[in-house]
Protein backbone atom coordinates (compact mmCIF):
# COMPACT_ATOMS: atom_id res chain seq x y z
CA UNK A 1 0.00 0.00 0.00
CA UNK A 2 1.19 3.52 -0.82
CA UNK A 3 -0.03 6.50 1.19
CA UNK A 4 0.48 10.13 0.20
CA UNK A 5 0.12 12.79 2.87
CA UNK A 6 -0.03 16.16 1.18
CA UNK A 7 0.66 19.74 2.28
CA UNK A 8 1.39 19.00 5.93
CA UNK A 9 3.94 20.69 8.15
CA UNK A 10 6.41 17.86 8.61
CA UNK A 11 8.06 18.00 12.01
CA UNK A 12 11.23 16.29 13.14
CA UNK A 13 13.41 17.04 16.13
CA UNK A 14 15.64 18.95 13.70
CA UNK A 15 13.08 21.28 12.15
CA UNK A 16 9.83 21.73 10.27
CA UNK A 17 9.03 22.01 6.59
CA UNK A 18 5.85 22.10 4.54
CA UNK A 19 6.08 18.98 2.38
CA UNK A 20 4.41 15.82 1.16
CA UNK A 21 5.23 12.41 2.60
CA UNK A 22 4.96 9.28 0.49
CA UNK A 23 4.98 5.84 2.05
CA UNK A 24 5.57 2.62 0.16
CA UNK A 25 4.78 -0.56 2.00
CA UNK A 26 6.07 -0.34 5.56
CA UNK A 27 8.51 2.52 5.13
CA UNK A 28 8.73 6.15 4.12
CA UNK A 29 9.66 6.50 0.44
CA UNK A 30 10.00 10.27 0.10
CA UNK A 31 9.64 13.57 1.94
CA UNK A 32 9.58 16.52 -0.46
CA UNK A 33 7.47 19.45 -1.61
CA UNK A 34 4.82 18.55 -4.22
CA UNK A 35 5.39 14.83 -4.72
CA UNK A 36 3.67 13.64 -7.91
CA UNK A 37 2.96 9.97 -7.37
CA UNK A 38 0.02 7.63 -7.41
CA UNK A 39 -1.08 6.29 -4.04
CA UNK A 40 -3.73 3.95 -2.69
CA UNK A 41 -4.75 6.56 -0.19
CA UNK A 42 -4.19 10.32 -0.05
CA UNK A 43 -4.66 12.57 2.96
CA UNK A 44 -4.71 16.36 2.83
CA UNK A 45 -2.79 17.59 5.88
CA UNK A 46 -2.93 21.34 5.12
CA UNK A 47 -2.91 23.25 8.39
CA UNK A 48 -1.87 20.10 10.27
CA UNK A 49 1.40 18.73 11.53
CA UNK A 50 2.85 15.44 10.29
CA UNK A 51 4.73 13.92 13.22
CA UNK A 52 6.72 10.74 13.76
CA UNK A 53 4.60 8.18 15.60
CA UNK A 54 5.04 8.47 19.35
CA UNK A 55 7.50 6.19 21.14
CA UNK A 56 6.52 5.32 24.71
CA UNK A 57 9.42 3.57 26.41
CA UNK A 58 7.73 2.93 29.77
CA UNK A 59 4.61 0.75 29.84
CA UNK A 60 3.38 -2.10 32.05
CA UNK A 61 0.84 -4.15 30.10
CA UNK A 62 -0.62 -7.35 31.50
CA UNK A 63 1.74 -7.09 34.47
CA UNK A 64 1.15 -9.16 37.61
CA UNK A 65 1.29 -7.01 40.76
CA UNK A 66 0.66 -9.02 43.96
CA UNK A 67 -2.94 -10.24 43.74
CA UNK A 68 -3.63 -7.93 40.81
CA UNK A 69 -2.78 -7.63 37.11
CA UNK A 70 -2.51 -4.32 35.28
CA UNK A 71 -5.81 -3.79 33.48
CA UNK A 72 -4.62 -3.31 29.90
CA UNK A 73 -3.17 -6.25 28.05
CA UNK A 74 -1.18 -5.95 24.84
CA UNK A 75 -4.38 -5.81 22.79
CA UNK A 76 -6.26 -3.09 24.65
CA UNK A 77 -3.14 -1.17 25.64
CA UNK A 78 -1.79 -0.88 22.12
CA UNK A 79 -5.21 0.08 20.71
CA UNK A 80 -5.25 2.92 23.23
CA UNK A 81 -1.67 3.82 22.34
CA UNK A 82 -2.50 3.98 18.63
CA UNK A 83 -5.59 6.11 19.22
CA UNK A 84 -3.43 8.57 21.13
CA UNK A 85 -0.71 8.78 18.47
CA UNK A 86 1.81 6.31 19.89
CA UNK A 87 3.03 3.65 17.44
CA UNK A 88 5.90 2.08 19.41
CA UNK A 89 6.02 0.90 22.99
CA UNK A 90 8.74 -0.65 25.10
CA UNK A 91 7.23 -2.71 27.92
CA UNK A 92 8.85 -4.22 31.00
CA UNK A 93 9.28 -8.01 31.25
CA UNK A 94 9.63 -8.90 34.93
CA UNK A 95 12.16 -11.48 36.08
CA UNK A 96 10.81 -13.82 38.77
CA UNK A 97 13.37 -14.10 41.55
CA UNK A 98 15.55 -17.12 40.91
CA UNK A 99 14.42 -17.46 37.29
CA UNK A 100 16.38 -16.56 34.19
CA UNK A 101 16.13 -13.21 32.41
CA UNK A 102 15.35 -15.12 29.22
CA UNK A 103 12.26 -16.65 30.84
CA UNK A 104 10.96 -13.16 31.58
CA UNK A 105 11.31 -12.12 27.95
CA UNK A 106 9.70 -15.36 26.74
CA UNK A 107 6.75 -14.79 29.08
CA UNK A 108 6.26 -11.25 27.77
CA UNK A 109 6.65 -12.36 24.16
CA UNK A 110 3.77 -14.76 24.77
CA UNK A 111 1.66 -11.92 26.15
CA UNK A 112 2.38 -9.59 23.21
CA UNK A 113 2.52 -11.85 20.16
CA UNK A 114 -0.71 -11.95 18.23
CA UNK A 115 -2.23 -9.20 20.39
CA UNK A 116 -0.20 -6.02 19.96
CA UNK A 117 -1.56 -3.59 17.39
CA UNK A 118 1.66 -1.52 17.27
CA UNK A 119 5.32 -2.48 17.38
CA UNK A 120 6.83 -3.32 20.74
CA UNK A 121 10.12 -4.03 22.43
CA UNK A 122 11.05 -5.14 25.92
CA UNK A 123 13.20 -4.01 28.79
CA UNK A 124 13.83 -6.53 31.58
CA UNK A 125 13.15 -5.75 35.24
CA UNK A 126 16.04 -7.44 37.05
CA UNK A 127 15.04 -8.58 40.53
CA UNK A 128 17.90 -10.94 41.20
CA UNK A 129 21.32 -11.08 39.52
CA UNK A 130 23.71 -13.71 40.86
CA UNK A 131 27.09 -13.35 39.07
CA UNK A 132 26.41 -16.58 37.14
CA UNK A 133 23.42 -14.93 35.50
CA UNK A 134 25.28 -11.84 34.27
CA UNK A 135 26.08 -13.39 30.85
CA UNK A 136 22.33 -13.49 30.22
CA UNK A 137 22.45 -9.70 30.02
CA UNK A 138 24.98 -9.94 27.17
CA UNK A 139 22.84 -12.54 25.40
CA UNK A 140 19.74 -10.38 25.68
CA UNK A 141 21.53 -7.30 24.36
CA UNK A 142 22.60 -9.38 21.36
CA UNK A 143 18.95 -10.44 20.91
CA UNK A 144 17.69 -6.84 20.90
CA UNK A 145 16.56 -6.56 24.51
CA UNK A 146 19.08 -3.92 25.40
CA UNK A 147 17.87 -2.32 28.64
CA UNK A 148 17.43 -3.44 32.23
CA UNK A 149 15.46 -1.76 34.99
CA UNK A 150 16.63 -2.10 38.58
CA UNK A 151 14.93 -0.81 41.71
CA UNK A 152 16.27 0.85 44.85
CA UNK A 153 12.71 0.62 46.25
CA UNK A 154 10.16 -2.10 47.19
CA UNK A 155 12.28 -4.15 49.63
CA UNK A 156 11.53 -7.87 49.54
CA UNK A 157 9.91 -7.63 46.12
CA UNK A 158 11.91 -5.67 43.55
CA UNK A 159 14.68 -3.86 45.44
CA UNK A 160 18.25 -4.93 44.79
CA UNK A 161 21.37 -3.88 46.68
CA UNK A 162 24.03 -1.44 45.49
CA UNK A 163 26.43 -4.27 44.60
CA UNK A 164 23.85 -5.75 42.23
CA UNK A 165 23.20 -2.37 40.64
CA UNK A 166 26.93 -1.80 40.28
CA UNK A 167 27.48 -5.21 38.65
CA UNK A 168 24.60 -4.60 36.23
CA UNK A 169 26.11 -1.22 35.35
CA UNK A 170 29.56 -2.75 34.82
CA UNK A 171 28.00 -5.34 32.54
CA UNK A 172 26.17 -2.75 30.42
CA UNK A 173 29.31 -0.60 30.25
CA UNK A 174 30.85 -3.54 28.39
CA UNK A 175 27.91 -4.94 26.41
CA UNK A 176 26.28 -1.73 25.11
CA UNK A 177 23.11 -2.08 27.14
CA UNK A 178 21.49 0.53 29.35
CA UNK A 179 20.50 0.38 33.01
CA UNK A 180 17.28 2.15 33.93
CA UNK A 181 16.80 3.03 37.58
CA UNK A 182 13.69 3.32 39.70
CA UNK A 183 15.30 5.66 42.19
CA UNK A 184 13.66 5.93 45.61
CA UNK A 185 15.31 4.90 48.90
CA UNK A 186 13.34 1.76 49.76
CA UNK A 187 14.77 1.41 53.27
CA UNK A 188 13.83 4.93 54.30
CA UNK A 189 10.37 4.51 52.80
CA UNK A 190 9.80 1.24 54.64
CA UNK A 191 10.66 2.82 58.00
CA UNK A 192 8.37 5.78 57.31
CA UNK A 193 5.57 3.43 56.25
CA UNK A 194 5.93 1.38 59.44
CA UNK A 195 5.77 4.54 61.56
CA UNK A 196 2.65 5.75 59.74
CA UNK A 197 0.91 2.40 60.16
CA UNK A 198 1.94 2.16 63.84
CA UNK A 199 0.39 5.59 64.35
CA UNK A 200 -2.88 4.48 62.74
CA UNK A 201 -2.30 6.60 59.63
CA UNK A 202 -3.41 4.34 56.78
CA UNK A 203 -5.09 6.62 54.19
CA UNK A 204 -3.66 7.29 50.68
CA UNK A 205 -2.23 10.66 51.76
CA UNK A 206 0.38 8.63 53.63
CA UNK A 207 1.61 7.27 50.32
CA UNK A 208 3.07 10.66 49.44
CA UNK A 209 4.16 11.50 52.98
CA UNK A 210 6.19 8.29 53.30
CA UNK A 211 7.95 8.73 49.93
CA UNK A 212 9.49 12.20 50.35
CA UNK A 213 11.38 14.02 47.57
CA UNK A 214 14.69 13.58 49.37
CA UNK A 215 14.25 9.77 49.28
CA UNK A 216 14.02 10.07 45.52
CA UNK A 217 16.91 12.53 45.26
CA UNK A 218 19.19 10.36 47.43
CA UNK A 219 18.57 7.27 45.30
CA UNK A 220 18.98 9.28 42.11
CA UNK A 221 22.29 10.63 43.35
CA UNK A 222 23.40 7.11 44.31
CA UNK A 223 22.38 5.61 40.97
CA UNK A 224 24.32 8.30 39.15
CA UNK A 225 27.39 7.79 41.36
CA UNK A 226 27.29 4.02 40.79
CA UNK A 227 27.01 4.58 37.04
CA UNK A 228 29.94 7.00 37.10
CA UNK A 229 32.00 4.46 39.05
CA UNK A 230 31.11 1.78 36.51
CA UNK A 231 31.73 4.03 33.51
CA UNK A 232 28.20 3.31 32.29
CA UNK A 233 25.27 5.43 31.17
CA UNK A 234 22.15 5.45 33.33
CA UNK A 235 18.55 6.38 32.57
CA UNK A 236 16.44 7.49 35.53
CA UNK A 237 12.78 6.57 35.04
CA UNK A 238 9.77 8.58 36.19
CA UNK A 239 11.63 11.53 37.73
CA UNK A 240 9.12 13.42 39.88
CA UNK A 241 10.91 15.52 42.53
CA UNK A 242 12.65 18.84 41.85
CA UNK A 243 15.60 17.61 43.90
CA UNK A 244 15.92 14.53 41.67
CA UNK A 245 15.85 16.72 38.54
CA UNK A 246 18.68 18.72 40.11
CA UNK A 247 20.74 15.53 40.46
CA UNK A 248 20.21 14.57 36.80
CA UNK A 249 20.93 18.11 35.63
CA UNK A 250 24.11 18.39 37.74
CA UNK A 251 25.43 15.08 36.41
CA UNK A 252 24.72 16.11 32.83
CA UNK A 253 26.41 19.46 33.43
CA UNK A 254 29.51 17.44 34.37
CA UNK A 255 29.26 15.67 31.02
CA UNK A 256 28.08 12.30 32.36
CA UNK A 257 25.85 10.09 30.17
CA UNK A 258 22.89 10.45 32.53
CA UNK A 259 19.38 10.64 31.13
CA UNK A 260 16.06 11.42 32.77
CA UNK A 261 12.46 10.68 31.98
CA UNK A 262 9.35 12.18 33.47
CA UNK A 263 5.68 11.32 32.95
CA UNK A 264 2.51 13.35 32.36
CA UNK A 265 1.13 12.55 35.81
CA UNK A 266 3.99 14.50 37.42
CA UNK A 267 3.50 17.40 35.02
CA UNK A 268 -0.26 17.75 35.39
CA UNK A 269 -1.29 16.39 38.81
CA UNK A 270 -0.28 17.36 42.33
CA UNK A 271 -0.33 15.66 45.73
CA UNK A 272 -3.60 17.31 46.78
CA UNK A 273 -5.23 14.53 44.70
CA UNK A 274 -4.55 12.21 47.63
CA UNK A 275 -7.10 14.19 49.70
CA UNK A 276 -10.12 12.85 47.80
CA UNK A 277 -10.34 9.25 46.56
CA UNK A 278 -6.56 9.20 46.65
CA UNK A 279 -6.29 5.49 45.84
CA UNK A 280 -6.68 6.22 42.16
CA UNK A 281 -3.53 8.38 42.28
CA UNK A 282 -1.32 5.96 44.18
CA UNK A 283 1.82 5.54 42.07
CA UNK A 284 5.53 5.57 42.82
CA UNK A 285 7.14 8.02 43.05
CA UNK A 286 4.04 9.84 44.32
CA UNK A 287 2.59 13.08 43.04
CA UNK A 288 4.49 16.14 44.23
CA UNK A 289 3.77 19.89 44.54
CA UNK A 290 3.57 22.82 42.13
CA UNK A 291 7.22 23.70 42.66
CA UNK A 292 8.25 20.23 41.46
CA UNK A 293 5.95 20.56 38.48
CA UNK A 294 7.51 23.88 37.48
CA UNK A 295 10.99 22.35 37.80
CA UNK A 296 10.00 19.40 35.58
CA UNK A 297 8.53 21.63 32.88
CA UNK A 298 11.62 23.83 32.98
CA UNK A 299 13.88 20.78 32.72
CA UNK A 300 12.00 19.49 29.67
CA UNK A 301 12.34 22.86 27.97
CA UNK A 302 16.00 23.28 28.92
CA UNK A 303 17.10 19.79 27.86
CA UNK A 304 17.83 18.62 31.40
CA UNK A 305 15.35 15.75 30.95
CA UNK A 306 15.29 13.77 27.72
CA UNK A 307 12.03 11.84 27.50
CA UNK A 308 8.38 11.86 28.45
CA UNK A 309 7.01 8.34 28.84
CA UNK A 310 3.86 7.18 30.57
CA UNK A 311 4.65 4.49 33.17
CA UNK A 312 1.21 3.28 32.03
CA UNK A 313 0.20 0.85 34.77
CA UNK A 314 -3.59 0.91 35.06
CA UNK A 315 -5.74 -0.73 37.71
CA UNK A 316 -9.52 -0.68 37.82
CA UNK A 317 -11.21 1.13 40.67
CA UNK A 318 -12.29 -2.16 42.29
CA UNK A 319 -8.59 -3.08 42.51
CA UNK A 320 -7.55 0.39 43.67
CA UNK A 321 -10.19 0.25 46.41
CA UNK A 322 -9.78 -3.39 47.43
CA UNK A 323 -7.50 -2.53 50.34
CA UNK A 324 -7.91 0.68 52.33
CA UNK A 325 -4.35 0.63 53.70
CA UNK A 326 -2.10 2.72 51.48
CA UNK A 327 0.77 0.22 51.31
CA UNK A 328 -1.55 -2.39 49.78
CA UNK A 329 -3.03 -0.25 46.99
CA UNK A 330 -1.66 -1.33 43.58
CA UNK A 331 0.57 1.47 42.28
CA UNK A 332 0.24 3.04 38.88
CA UNK A 333 -2.05 5.09 36.67
CA UNK A 334 -3.29 4.85 33.08
CA UNK A 335 -1.80 7.21 30.49
CA UNK A 336 -0.72 5.40 27.31
CA UNK A 337 -3.48 7.15 25.32
CA UNK A 338 -3.24 10.67 26.72
CA UNK A 339 0.54 11.29 26.72
CA UNK A 340 0.78 13.01 23.35
CA UNK A 341 -2.25 15.28 23.71
CA UNK A 342 -1.38 16.28 27.26
CA UNK A 343 2.22 17.11 26.41
CA UNK A 344 1.28 19.00 23.27
CA UNK A 345 -1.27 21.04 25.19
CA UNK A 346 0.90 21.67 28.25
CA UNK A 347 4.13 22.10 26.30
CA UNK A 348 3.48 23.52 22.84
CA UNK A 349 0.08 25.22 23.23
CA UNK A 350 1.10 26.67 26.58
CA UNK A 351 4.27 28.09 25.00
CA UNK A 352 6.77 26.21 27.14
CA UNK A 353 8.55 24.72 24.11
CA UNK A 354 8.14 24.31 20.38
CA UNK A 355 6.73 21.46 18.36
CA UNK A 356 10.23 20.16 17.46
CA UNK A 357 11.02 19.73 21.15
CA UNK A 358 7.66 18.00 21.57
CA UNK A 359 8.71 15.49 18.89
CA UNK A 360 12.12 15.09 20.49
CA UNK A 361 10.61 14.31 23.90
CA UNK A 362 7.85 11.98 22.73
CA UNK A 363 9.56 10.14 19.85
CA UNK A 364 13.08 11.00 18.69
CA UNK A 365 14.81 11.16 22.08
CA UNK A 366 13.40 7.88 23.42
CA UNK A 367 14.02 6.15 20.05
CA UNK A 368 17.67 7.24 20.13
CA UNK A 369 18.20 6.29 23.77
CA UNK A 370 16.74 2.82 23.31
CA UNK A 371 18.22 1.68 20.01
CA UNK A 372 15.25 2.33 17.74
CA UNK A 373 16.48 5.34 15.75
CA UNK A 374 16.26 6.02 12.79
CA UNK A 375 13.83 3.17 12.19
CA UNK A 376 11.50 4.85 14.69
CA UNK A 377 11.27 8.41 15.97
CA UNK A 378 11.76 10.41 12.79
CA UNK A 379 10.36 11.13 9.33
CA UNK A 380 12.93 10.27 6.67
CA UNK A 381 13.20 7.98 3.66
CA UNK A 382 13.80 4.43 4.86
CA UNK A 383 12.32 4.95 8.32
CA UNK A 384 9.22 2.99 9.26
CA UNK A 385 6.08 4.74 8.05
CA UNK A 386 4.85 5.44 11.57
CA UNK A 387 3.21 8.81 11.06
CA UNK A 388 0.66 10.98 12.80
CA UNK A 389 -1.39 13.68 11.11
CA UNK A 390 -1.82 15.95 14.10
CA UNK A 391 -4.50 18.61 14.32
CA UNK A 392 -3.01 21.35 16.51
CA UNK A 393 -6.40 23.05 16.94
CA UNK A 394 -8.74 20.19 17.73
CA UNK A 395 -9.80 20.23 21.36
CA UNK A 396 -11.22 17.34 23.26
CA UNK A 397 -12.23 16.52 26.80
CA UNK A 398 -10.37 13.62 28.36
CA UNK A 399 -12.77 11.13 29.86
CA UNK A 400 -13.04 7.48 30.84
CA UNK A 401 -16.33 7.50 28.94
CA UNK A 402 -14.48 7.86 25.63
CA UNK A 403 -10.95 6.57 26.17
CA UNK A 404 -9.85 3.17 24.87
CA UNK A 405 -7.85 2.11 27.92
CA UNK A 406 -9.46 -0.81 29.75
CA UNK A 407 -9.85 1.03 33.01
CA UNK A 408 -12.89 2.68 34.54
CA UNK A 409 -11.39 6.05 35.45
CA UNK A 410 -9.07 8.59 33.92
CA UNK A 411 -6.73 10.63 36.14
CA UNK A 412 -7.31 13.66 33.89
CA UNK A 413 -11.12 13.32 33.76
CA UNK A 414 -12.73 16.50 32.42
CA UNK A 415 -9.49 18.17 31.33
CA UNK A 416 -9.80 19.92 27.97
CA UNK A 417 -6.72 19.59 25.78
CA UNK A 418 -5.87 21.20 22.45
CA UNK A 419 -4.10 19.06 19.86
CA UNK A 420 -5.09 15.54 18.80
CA UNK A 421 -4.21 12.91 16.21
CA UNK A 422 -6.46 12.87 13.13
CA UNK A 423 -4.83 9.90 11.41
CA UNK A 424 -2.21 7.48 12.73
CA UNK A 425 -0.23 5.14 10.47
CA UNK A 426 1.85 2.25 11.76
CA UNK A 427 4.30 0.79 9.25
CA UNK A 428 2.27 2.33 6.44
CA UNK A 429 -1.20 1.18 7.49
CA UNK A 430 -3.86 3.31 9.20
CA UNK A 431 -4.36 2.26 12.82
CA UNK A 432 -6.44 5.20 14.05
CA UNK A 433 -8.66 7.76 12.36
CA UNK A 434 -10.61 10.50 14.10
CA UNK A 435 -9.94 8.92 17.47
CA UNK A 436 -11.24 5.48 16.45
CA UNK A 437 -9.10 2.36 16.14
CA UNK A 438 -8.96 1.05 12.55
CA UNK A 439 -5.95 -1.26 12.86
CA UNK A 440 -5.59 -4.94 13.64
CA UNK A 441 -4.70 -6.74 16.85
CA UNK A 442 -1.58 -8.77 16.19
CA UNK A 443 -0.18 -6.46 13.51
CA UNK A 444 2.49 -5.17 15.90
CA UNK A 445 5.93 -6.75 15.68
CA UNK A 446 8.71 -7.35 18.15
CA UNK A 447 11.50 -4.80 17.77
CA UNK A 448 15.07 -5.99 18.13
CA UNK A 449 16.78 -2.90 19.45
CA UNK A 450 20.37 -1.92 18.77
CA UNK A 451 22.96 -1.55 21.54
CA UNK A 452 24.37 1.91 22.20
O1 LIG B 1 3.59 2.95 40.77
C1 LIG B 1 4.12 2.65 39.71
N1 LIG B 1 4.89 3.51 39.10
N2 LIG B 1 3.90 1.45 39.17
C2 LIG B 1 4.56 0.93 38.06
C3 LIG B 1 5.85 0.29 38.41
C4 LIG B 1 7.01 1.25 38.41
O2 LIG B 1 7.64 1.40 39.43
O3 LIG B 1 7.32 1.84 37.38
ZN1 LIG C 1 9.42 2.36 38.61
ZN1 LIG D 1 7.02 1.75 35.60
Amino acid sequence: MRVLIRNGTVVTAGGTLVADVLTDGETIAAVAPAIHATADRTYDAAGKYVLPGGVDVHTHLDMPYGDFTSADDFASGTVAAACGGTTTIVDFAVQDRGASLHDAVAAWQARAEGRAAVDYGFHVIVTDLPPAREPEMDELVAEGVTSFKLFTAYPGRLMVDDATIFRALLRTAANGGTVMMHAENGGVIEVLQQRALAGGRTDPRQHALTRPPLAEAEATHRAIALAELAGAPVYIVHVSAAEAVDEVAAARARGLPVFGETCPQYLFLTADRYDDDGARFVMSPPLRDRRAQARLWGALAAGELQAVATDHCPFRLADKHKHAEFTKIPGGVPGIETRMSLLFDGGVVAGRFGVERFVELTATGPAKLFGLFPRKGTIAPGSDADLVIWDPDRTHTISAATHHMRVDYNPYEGRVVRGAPDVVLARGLPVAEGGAFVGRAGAGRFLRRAPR
Side-chain angles (χ1 to χ4, degrees):
M1 166 142 161
R2 281 154 67 93
V3 175
L4 182 59
I5 302 173
R6 305 195 54 200
N7 305 315
T9 300
V10 178
V11 187
T12 65
T16 59
L17 101 145
V18 176
D20 297 348
V21 181
L22 179 69
T23 74
D24 191 359
E26 299 191 346
T27 57
I28 295 169
V31 184
I35 294 175
H36 297 287
T38 55
D40 303 292
R41 196 172 293 194
T42 300
Y43 295 100
D44 183 8
K48 314 257 170 84
Y49 289 125
V50 182
L51 311 176
V55 177
D56 184 352
V57 292
H58 192 151
T59 68
H60 299 280
L61 300 176
D62 206 359
M63 186 187 75
Y65 189 111
D67 299 344
F68 309 105
T69 301
S70 61
D72 273 312
D73 64 10
F74 277 82
S76 64
T78 55
V79 165
C83 291
T86 289
T87 51
T88 300
I89 63 163
V90 188
D91 200 83
F92 288 87
V94 188
Q95 177 202 20
D96 289 331
R97 283 205 162 152
S100 97
L101 304 182
H102 292 291
D103 289 351
V105 174
W108 256 257
Q109 289 280 18
R111 285 166 161 85
E113 243 173 66
R115 293 193 183 87
V118 301
D119 290 350
Y120 55 92
F122 298 117
H123 319 282
V124 176
I125 288 179
V126 177
T127 57
D128 161 38
L129 188 70
R133 226 178 256 304
E134 286 181 27
E136 292 183 12
M137 293 178 73
D138 309 346
E139 292 152 15
L140 284 173
V141 170
E143 290 166 21
V145 177
T146 59
S147 35
F148 306 89
K149 182 181 178 190
L150 285 82
F151 288 70
T152 60
Y154 305 115
R157 206 156 61 81
L158 298 167
M159 187 167 113
V160 290
D161 61 14
D162 291 351
T164 302
I165 296 167
F166 187 52
R167 284 189 295 104
L169 285 160
L170 285 170
R171 205 81 197 183
T172 54
N175 69 19
T178 299
V179 166
M180 312 166 77
M181 289 301 307
H182 177 126
E184 291 182 290
N185 186 314
V188 166
I189 290 165
E190 190 174 45
V191 170
L192 294 175
Q193 287 177 335
Q194 284 163 356
R195 288 165 67 125
L197 295 177
R201 298 185 298 280
T202 59
D203 64 289
R205 259 184 295 238
Q206 306 306 318
H207 178 70
L209 295 172
T210 57
R211 305 183 92 92
L214 199 50
E216 183 184 344
E218 183 281 324
T220 304
H221 182 89
R222 186 168 19 120
I224 291 168
L226 294 173
E228 185 175 6
L229 284 164
V234 67
Y235 177 94
I236 313 292
V237 297
H238 47 48
V239 175
S240 69
E243 296 81 350
V245 180
D246 293 345
E247 296 290 347
V248 172
R252 290 179 61 80
R254 288 199 292 123
L256 294 175
V258 171
F259 308 96
E261 158 203 288
T262 192
C263 313
Q265 48 271 35
Y266 303 116
L267 296 165
F268 288 90
L269 306 172
T270 43
D272 52 337
R273 298 295 178 122
Y274 294 116
D275 295 345
D276 181 22
D277 195 2
R280 38 179 100 195
F281 300 99
V282 166
M283 68 193 84
S284 298
L287 299 175
R288 306 294 188 190
D289 59 12
R290 293 222 169 273
R291 183 182 71 91
Q293 257 182 5
R295 182 73 184 94
L296 289 169
W297 279 114
L300 291 177
E304 293 169 320
L305 293 175
Q306 288 66 50
V308 176
T310 59
D311 196 7
H312 177 77
C313 191
F315 294 97
R316 293 190 192 84
L317 288 174
D319 288 351
K320 284 286 195 183
H321 292 146
K322 185 165 177 193
H323 302 290
E325 187 193 301
F326 72 98
T327 59
K328 298 193 172 134
I329 298 168
V333 288
I336 202 168
E337 188 169 356
T338 43
R339 176 183 71 130
M340 301 279 280
S341 280
L342 281 167
L343 198 73
F344 187 86
D345 187 55
V348 181
V349 176
R352 290 182 167 107
F353 45 74
V355 67
E356 293 92 349
R357 182 70 183 145
F358 168 76
V359 163
E360 194 164 25
L361 289 166
T362 56
T364 317
K368 283 185 174 168
L369 286 169
F370 290 101
L372 292 163
F373 187 87
R375 179 171 174 193
K376 306 292 188 185
T378 194
I379 301 178
S383 292
D384 279 359
D386 294 355
L387 297 163
V388 182
I389 302 177
W390 185 270
D391 184 342
D393 298 317
R394 182 145 66 86
T395 58
H396 77 277
T397 305
I398 295 176
S399 174
T402 49
H403 74 202
H404 297 79
M405 298 178 287
R406 200 191 281 161
V407 58
D408 49 356
Y409 79 102
N410 193 302
Y412 312 97
E413 185 69 35
R415 188 176 194 105
V416 178
V417 285
R418 182 178 293 273
D422 268 1
V423 177
V424 183
L425 303 182
R427 274 188 285 102
L429 292 176
V431 288
E433 282 181 347
F437 180 67
V438 298
R440 183 174 63 80
R445 285 204 207 119
F446 171 66
L447 295 164
R448 289 174 69 103
R449 296 180 290 117
R452 281 179 281 113

